[in-house]
Amino acid sequence: MIERLGKFYRLDISFVTSHFFYTPFPPFICNSMLKFSFLVSLLILIPSLGSAQTKADHEMYVCADLDLGGGIKWVTVNGIFRRDGVNQYTTITRDTPGICDVTFDPKDHSHFYAASINGPLATYNAARSWRMGADWTMTESRSIHVDSGSDDHIYVGLPDGFAVSDNKGRSWIRKETGLPLRGKYTQVVSVDSEHAGRVLIGTESGIYLTENTASTWKRVFATQAMVTDIEQSPLDHSLWLATSKKDGVLVSHDNGNTWEKMKSQVTHALFNIALDSENPNRFAICGFYEGVLTTEDAGKTWNVRNAGLPPQYEVMRIAIDPDTHVLYAALNRDCIYSSSDFGRNWKKDGLIHSIVYQFVFVPRETK
Amino acid sequence: MKKILLAGVILLNLVIQTASYAQPSSTAAFVAQPADADSSQRRAGYQARVHEMLTWGISTSAKVGSNDLVTVAAQLALKENLPYCSKKVIELMGIKEPGQKGNGPFWMFPVTTIAFLGKDVLSNEAKQAIREAWRVNMQTRGDTENHWAMYYSSLYLMSELYPHEPENTWYNGKSSDENLHESKEYLINWMNIATSIGQGEFNVPNYIAEYAIPMAMLATWAKDPEMKKRGQMMLEWIYSDFAANTLQGVIHGPNARADDISIVEPWNCMASNFAWLLFGNTPPTRGYSGWGVLYASIAQDYELPEVIYKIARSKQDPLLQEDLKRTRRRWRNSDVLMAPVYKTNYMTQDYAVGSYQGGLVDPIQTHGWDIMWNVGDPRGVHNTMFSMNPISSTDELETCFTAVPDEMPKRVMQEGKPSYDFPGKLLGSSRYEQIYQNLDTIVALYDIPEGTRFPHINGFFSKDLTSVTIDKSGWIFAKGGNTYLAYRPLADYTFQPISAEKSWLPGTSMKGGDKRLYSPHLKNGTILQVASAKEFKDFEAFKERIRSLPFVYRLEPKPTVSMTTIRGNRITCTFGQEPILNGKVVDYTQWKLFQGTYLNADKNAHKLTITHGNLRRVLDFNSVTTQDN
């Protein structure tokens, strides 16, 4: 993929490996000198592809508003940014409409789908262009996910329900049988990594489960306020955890079929939960007034991990890198912080003056 | 949403700033157009005002090198400086810096205006630049009713302008045909809702332009005769409602989305600019409130139906309208997507009283009720009185917005709603307020739960009131213009000064300034009764009349008032219950879409009858026709 970075273009190796043979020239490379330079670059870069594959197994993407006003005047652009290292966040797309979540086609990362204020968006050329697949009846999508078994099926959570695309986001249809008429504000969509067509959603009225690609839903946990996040354990697929506005942390040990509240000292809304891919007892949660809390004993005890963060510790989002196990915390209008010791110490990691809505770790494309 | 708001604010500020260089009518002594002006006089007056706005825009441009889209539109409208326009359009469309290129409805509707005004006069390169911008610049649709009206009207017209072009030529990956279909479908759906259960953003002091401009665009440029007619009819729908809610050109009463300035100085809003332009009965605002120049660029040839002009200029005394509106869309925390709003508008030559029944309409900007007295020149005058509960609530914000919990109160203050989380604010409504209006009597009751952020009442007492008297009876009497006012707090209170700069901040002195009646009691209430001075021998007679009226109240367990109004009606209001008028429960479910002196429409009928004297005009959205007789 080639991206425009100010006056320069950046060549992304992973894009080239998947697309080079099909699209030798991005559309904007129109003069012969540029084409020549492009081919020379490829000749230089292709031998290094092997080394690129030796990097971490996942790429980290961030959906965020970024302040161009330098923290003095709040002038934002919204977009998707990829972390390439400490203080190295590369713009994948900017000036896009309110993107708060993104999901990638596992086989082709130039195809990805975003939950945005314009409803679900799809790109088939690494964000050089977009398709607003839904019409005016779907807006302000909150969460989006590709099905674990079918790359064609995309799920999107809406403030007034849920919709599915069976054609890679070109069009969308509501699938809400079993959801309530009111109370179906869907904040989070989480797919079962092991079973195609099996999806859990977190809504205003609880957690709902479908096992038939959203043809029907059943409520598996009732709440009086938003379920804000649902995550499946990467180590034990029958273990699911969720966060909520008023019910704290929720846990399911039977693959999301039943849920119970987990003991914790939180009193305010939680925004999301992150699970470590190495230690099954390590989770982290966050909230605007709670900051960061971690557990290393599967939730028996929770540790406040705000020391080292700014005094307000208004944490919008948290994540654990599946490769390095670094803990990331996004502070409201501040920046992303990282911790290599699971929250005991923090350092600034970049994306200064940002509001982060989502961290997404994407397995590198299989070639 | 935030980007759209920000872009709108930036563009508006730019326009207003450039507007400050020269502007005769906003600062000159004001002379109203005669109320009985004939059609040719009205026409000449309208065109003169349009010309003033456009020429001012161009002269400003020449002086300060203004480069905004609105100025280009004004130049195109007057067909002046066309080579410059082409050059400027290319420059404006070609901006590549992230965050600065066009995005969202506040960019779309001026650019659409330029595309149509410049269709035959801009250079091919300039037109190509516009077309290319609509291919590469992703447009944010926004999250409010006015955003969508602007977005889809613009997209509709641009899709007509560039018909049958493939999906890769549009920012949203949809073909011209898809965009045209979707835009038309949305706009008709929106019109159907507005003409059946009412507008969501109703009676708005500043957002009127965000509806008038897109509707004027459709009325002026749509190729499809149906959409052209619909645009014209919606414009008349909005203007007739607007005319009925203005007192000598100044909008009053409850509304979905006000602002911190016009809440205390009712004239100081975009609507006054429209009243000046359409009715000629109040001065325009500074800089024509920004978008006024754009409207003038589009609607140079607009002709306001006489019946609407008459409603604005020759009101029956008194006027009574009881109309139906609706709340903002509620995503969550509610059993309904949109709740009904029952809006009352009572007006005499000397004052106007307006209200809705209370509760959540828009969580940030709703104005619940007020009385506004007539003044000769409204500029700088705070001719209003009201009370409210200044709640700040993440739950209420979440109800109508898709923000995550807790974070939004802070955000809204940094993005254009600076008073939201201040206890002294005067802008906003509360679900803990219940209002009943009978003619020129208001009963506002409050039942605020413990733990509510800002659990108190703010009452606004203007610097422009005279003879303010705290009576032993508990009533506070005052004069405003030719109006006598009687304000009765139902719980203890103090008066606090208000900052002269920002109405939501505490001031340092009472001298010459507005005051805030502060009452920290959770169970509370305000009674307000007003009358024209000419109805009484003198002020004392008014006071005596108010004192003599039967009036009892209690605050526990729920605030309750039983009283006889100054007009002799017996009312009983209890928080949480429907009001009782002369022994009969008020049944809001029977309210029509419009019912009153000038505007009448059945709920769900899509048909409005506008009358004044022997003038009558029917807007029938079922047949998409208008009829005069």
Side-chain angles (χ1 to χ4, degrees):
Chain A
M1 172 170 73
I2 288 186
E3 296 169 340
R4 190 172 184 281
L5 296 171
K7 295 178 180 176
F8 305 100
Y9 290 95
R10 173 193 176 87
L11 182 65
D12 182 292
I13 296 166
S14 63
F15 177 79
V16 173
T17 54
S18 60
H19 289 270
F20 169 62
F21 297 105
Y22 301 99
T23 56
F25 302 108
F28 47 85
I29 297 185
C30 49
N31 69 49
S32 55
M33 182 57 77
L34 266 177
K35 286 177 180 174
F36 175 75
S37 302
F38 183 74
L39 286 173
V40 169
S41 300
L42 289 183
L43 289 172
I44 295 167
L45 288 164
I46 286 172
S48 67
L49 292 181
S51 62
Q53 298 301 313
T54 62
K55 289 182 188 172
D57 292 334
H58 293 78
E59 292 179 313
M60 180 174 128
Y61 292 88
V62 183
C63 302
D65 286 341
L66 195 61
D67 178 21
L68 299 180
I72 300 166
K73 187 176 180 182
W74 188 243
V75 182
T76 63
V77 291
N78 174 274
I80 303 169
F81 307 87
R82 186 184 59 233
R83 184 182 187 276
D84 293 332
V86 175
N87 285 314
Q88 292 179 23
Y89 286 83
T90 301
T91 303
I92 303 300
T93 177
R94 306 220 281 208
D95 284 330
T96 43
I99 289 176
C100 59
D101 195 12
V102 64
T103 184
F104 288 73
D105 184 322
K107 297 195 184 102
D108 183 348
H109 288 185
S110 72
H111 291 204
F112 54 89
Y113 312 95
S116 83
I117 194 171
N118 281 7
L121 304 178
T123 179
Y124 312 110
N125 54 18
R128 284 203 299 277
S129 64
W130 293 93
R131 177 172 169 85
M132 286 171 60
D135 65 10
W136 63 272
T137 61
M138 295 182 200
T139 190
E140 299 189 57
S141 46
R142 312 310 306 148
S143 181
I144 195 163
H145 223 297
V146 177
D147 186 81
S148 62
S150 167
D151 304 339
D152 291 343
H153 279 82
I154 325 293
Y155 306 110
V156 67
L158 302 165
D160 58 348
F162 184 87
V164 180
S165 171
D166 61 5
N167 57 9
K168 291 183 177 287
R170 283 201 60 80
S171 61
W172 296 81
I173 185 167
R174 285 182 184 270
K175 294 267 191 174
E176 297 175 348
T177 303
L179 298 180
L181 188 61
R182 297 290 297 169
K184 58 186 174 183
Y185 184 112
T186 303
Q187 180 66 36
V188 58
V189 176
S190 191
V191 303
D192 187 330
S193 62
E194 296 293 294
H195 299 96
R198 193 168 189 275
V199 185
L200 286 143
I201 58 173
T203 77
E204 173 190 4
S205 59
I207 298 173
Y208 291 80
L209 168 68
T210 179
E211 297 183 296
N212 51 19
T213 320
S215 293
T216 57
W217 293 91
K218 65 176 179 182
R219 185 157 70 174
V220 292
F221 186 78
T223 60
Q224 296 297 314
M226 292 300 305
V227 173
T228 52
D229 192 25
I230 303 174
E231 293 292 332
Q232 184 179 29
S233 167
L235 300 171
D236 172 6
H237 294 140
S238 66
L239 174 66
W240 293 70
L241 289 122
T243 53
S244 66
K245 181 179 174 184
K246 290 185 177 170
D247 293 313
V249 183
L250 310 171
V251 62
S252 169
H253 296 284
D254 60 0
N255 206 15
N257 285 297
T258 61
W259 291 79
E260 60 187 347
K261 294 180 189 177
M262 186 179 270
K263 279 187 181 176
S264 71
Q265 66 267 43
V266 299
T267 55
H268 294 94
L270 295 174
F271 286 4
N272 81 309
I273 186 163
L275 284 67
D276 190 17
S277 62
E278 185 177 65
N279 182 339
N281 296 324
R282 277 186 159 190
F283 318 137
I285 54 178
C286 74
F288 198 74
Y289 293 124
E290 297 287 356
V292 175
L293 293 95
T294 64
T295 177
E296 299 185 47
D297 55 12
K300 290 188 181 69
T301 57
W302 290 91
N303 313 296
V304 177
R305 296 298 187 196
N306 294 326
L309 293 174
Q312 298 275 321
Y313 52 80
E314 296 169 345
V315 182
M316 296 291 290
R317 209 73 192 169
I318 199 158
I320 304 173
D321 189 306
D323 304 316
T324 64
H325 313 290
V326 166
L327 181 63
Y328 294 97
L331 277 288
N332 184 39
R333 297 179 186 235
D334 188 338
C335 71
I336 295 172
Y337 288 76
S338 64
S339 171
S340 299
D341 52 11
F342 213 55
R344 290 168 179 83
N345 294 281
W346 294 97
K347 64 181 182 183
K348 290 190 175 185
D349 196 82
L351 220 56
I352 192 166
H353 302 312
S354 62
I355 298 176
V356 171
Y357 300 106
Q358 186 65 291
F359 291 105
V360 176
F361 292 93
V362 185
R364 292 189 184 277
E365 289 176 283
T366 53
K367 308 305 172 192
Chain B
M1 173 191 75
K2 311 307 175 284
K3 287 173 64 179
I4 291 175
L5 290 175
L6 200 61
V9 168
I10 289 169
L11 194 47
L12 195 63
N13 281 342
L14 183 61
V15 175
I16 290 173
Q17 281 165 19
T18 55
S20 64
Y21 281 82
Q23 187 194 129
S25 292
S26 69
T27 52
F30 180 68
V31 178
Q33 178 174 289
D36 59 354
D38 63 24
S39 61
S40 62
Q41 289 172 316
R42 293 197 305 273
R43 184 87 193 123
Y46 178 83
Q47 288 182 329
R49 292 186 287 274
V50 164
H51 190 72
E52 176 184 321
M53 296 164 82
L54 294 177
T55 52
W56 168 83
I58 287 178
S59 66
T60 303
S61 172
K63 281 180 184 172
V64 300
S66 172
N67 60 359
D68 60 83
L69 296 166
V70 176
T71 303
V72 172
Q75 289 174 317
L76 288 170
L78 288 176
K79 295 187 170 49
E80 291 189 13
N81 216 0
L82 298 179
Y84 167 84
C85 289
S86 289
K87 184 181 164 191
K88 206 68 194 172
V89 165
I90 293 167
E91 180 186 316
L92 291 168
M93 295 301 106
I95 292 172
K96 297 296 184 193
E97 291 303 316
Q100 294 182 10
K101 59 188 176 183
N103 189 308
F106 290 100
W107 179 88
M108 294 168 80
F109 75 160
V111 173
T112 301
T113 300
I114 289 169
F116 277 86
L117 288 173
K119 193 168 61 164
D120 299 322
V121 293
L122 285 174
S123 68
N124 287 334
E125 291 78 6
K127 287 188 275 190
Q128 186 52 41
I130 292 172
R131 184 67 189 91
E132 178 66 2
W134 283 72
R135 184 182 73 81
V136 300
N137 292 357
M138 173 58 87
Q139 299 301 323
T140 300
R141 188 167 51 190
D143 64 350
T144 70
E145 195 176 341
N146 74 77
H147 290 163
W148 285 39
M150 292 185 286
Y151 176 96
Y152 276 119
S153 295
S154 301
L155 185 57
Y156 175 86
L157 289 167
M158 293 302 280
S159 302
E160 273 195 339
L161 187 62
Y162 299 104
H164 313 307
E165 297 196 358
E167 57 187 42
N168 63 359
T169 65
W170 293 93
Y171 64 87
N172 60 5
K174 292 178 178 173
S175 67
S176 300
D177 293 343
E178 283 180 284
N179 282 327
L180 194 67
H181 173 78
E182 181 178 333
S183 302
K184 182 175 181 178
E185 185 179 82
Y186 171 74
L187 289 166
I188 290 176
N189 181 271
W190 169 69
M191 292 174 190
N192 284 342
I193 293 173
T195 59
S196 58
I197 58 171
Q199 281 186 273
E201 293 184 337
F202 59 90
N203 204 33
V204 278
N206 285 300
Y207 293 94
I208 185 172
E210 278 84 332
Y211 292 97
I213 291 174
M215 293 306 104
M217 285 163 52
L218 288 175
T220 307
W221 294 313
K223 284 181 190 166
D224 181 339
E226 180 193 345
M227 294 306 285
K228 191 177 187 73
K229 186 73 174 175
R230 282 179 173 276
Q232 175 203 328
M233 290 168 62
M234 277 309 295
L235 208 50
E236 292 182 17
W237 189 289
I238 292 164
Y239 287 160
S240 60
D241 200 11
F242 173 50
N245 283 280
T246 53
L247 177 60
Q248 204 165 302
V250 180
I251 196 167
H252 86 101
N255 67 79
R257 301 185 68 186
D259 67 291
D260 292 306
I261 295 171
S262 65
I263 203 82
V264 298
E265 185 187 352
W267 165 82
N268 200 349
C269 64
M270 170 68 81
S272 295
N273 191 63
F274 275 82
W276 171 73
L277 180 64
L278 297 167
F279 314 141
N281 60 345
T282 199
T285 46
R286 177 173 172 262
Y288 307 98
S289 290
W291 295 120
V293 176
L294 187 66
Y295 180 83
S297 304
I298 299 161
Q300 295 175 82
D301 298 321
Y302 180 70
E303 290 197 42
L304 183 75
E306 184 181 8
V307 65
I308 300 176
Y309 182 83
K310 291 291 187 188
I311 291 171
R313 296 303 310 272
S314 304
K315 284 190 171 63
Q316 180 179 311
D317 187 351
L319 169 159
L320 177 63
Q321 283 285 152
E322 293 178 325
D323 305 332
L324 187 58
K325 309 294 180 187
R326 63 185 160 82
T327 67
R328 190 185 181 112
R329 186 168 45 189
R330 296 174 178 176
W331 289 127
R332 49 188 159 177
N333 304 335
S334 172
D335 292 335
V336 293
L337 182 62
M338 295 175 289
V341 171
Y342 305 102
K343 176 181 172 295
T344 301
N345 171 24
Y346 181 84
M347 198 179 295
T348 71
Q349 289 180 346
D350 291 323
Y351 61 87
V353 184
S355 70
Y356 77 100
Q357 81 277 20
L360 179 65
V361 172
D362 171 280
I364 304 172
Q365 294 172 273
T366 301
H367 181 49
W369 64 271
D370 64 41
I371 179 267
M372 181 180 79
W373 61 90
N374 201 353
V375 291
D377 188 332
R379 289 173 285 193
V381 182
H382 297 180
N383 50 328
T384 185
M385 179 179 270
F386 57 89
S387 70
M388 50 87 73
N389 164 227
I391 186 173
S392 169
S393 164
T394 186
D395 283 344
E396 288 194 355
L397 292 171
E398 284 175 47
T399 298
C400 297
F401 298 97
T402 55
V404 293
D406 301 333
E407 173 257 350
M408 199 172 168
K410 196 171 184 177
R411 177 186 290 226
V412 298
M413 292 198 299
Q414 290 170 316
E415 294 177 347
K417 313 293 185 294
S419 68
Y420 181 72
D421 200 38
F422 278 89
K425 70 178 177 181
L426 298 164
L427 177 63
S429 65
S430 169
R431 67 193 130 147
Y432 306 127
E433 180 183 45
Q434 182 172 311
I435 307 160
Y436 176 64
Q437 177 179 349
N438 178 252
L439 306 179
D440 40 16
T441 296
I442 292 276
V443 178
L445 300 177
Y446 304 90
D447 189 5
I448 306 168
E450 295 275 1
T452 300
R453 186 162 172 79
F454 309 142
H456 62 267
I457 309 304
N458 287 332
F460 179 69
F461 278 69
S462 166
K463 66 182 175 62
D464 296 304
L465 288 169
T466 59
S467 305
V468 178
T469 310
I470 300 174
D471 195 72
K472 288 179 184 173
S473 63
W475 289 94
I476 304 170
F477 295 110
K479 293 180 189 173
N482 294 322
T483 302
Y484 295 154
L485 302 94
Y487 182 115
R488 180 66 162 86
L490 298 188
D492 291 343
Y493 61 90
T494 55
F495 278 110
Q496 300 179 345
I498 295 175
S499 162
E501 289 76 33
K502 293 173 179 174
S503 63
W504 62 93
L505 295 176
T508 55
S509 169
M510 292 285 193
K511 287 183 181 174
D514 298 322
K515 301 181 187 72
R516 177 181 297 108
L517 181 148
Y518 170 77
S519 181
H521 302 281
L522 301 180
K523 293 184 187 295
N524 218 320
T526 302
I527 317 295
L528 189 71
Q529 300 212 71
V530 292
S532 293
K534 63 191 174 197
E535 296 181 65
F536 295 88
K537 178 186 167 194
D538 54 25
F539 193 33
E540 285 305 317
F542 170 74
K543 293 178 186 175
E544 189 49 43
R545 169 75 172 144
I546 292 292
R547 289 187 202 107
S548 69
L549 293 170
F551 169 64
V552 293
Y553 75 96
R554 66 173 189 272
L555 296 176
E556 297 288 352
K558 294 285 181 187
T560 299
V561 170
S562 290
M563 62 183 288
T564 299
T565 71
I566 196 167
R567 305 300 167 200
N569 291 310
R570 288 177 293 110
I571 58 176
T572 299
C573 300
T574 302
F575 194 95
Q577 297 178 20
E578 301 294 2
I580 299 169
L581 172 63
N582 294 325
K584 193 173 176 185
V585 175
V586 175
D587 186 358
Y588 287 118
T589 64
Q590 298 304 306
W591 277 38
K592 296 182 175 182
L593 184 58
F594 288 94
Q595 186 165 21
T597 311
Y598 297 126
L599 308 178
N600 286 280
D602 285 334
K603 190 176 170 183
N604 299 320
H606 311 291
K607 186 176 177 181
L608 174 65
T609 301
I610 311 166
T611 53
H612 186 285
N614 56 5
L615 295 171
R616 182 172 183 270
R617 185 169 175 85
V618 178
L619 308 177
D620 188 345
F621 278 83
N622 302 295
S623 56
V624 194
T625 57
T626 54
Q627 187 180 358
D628 290 292
N629 51 28

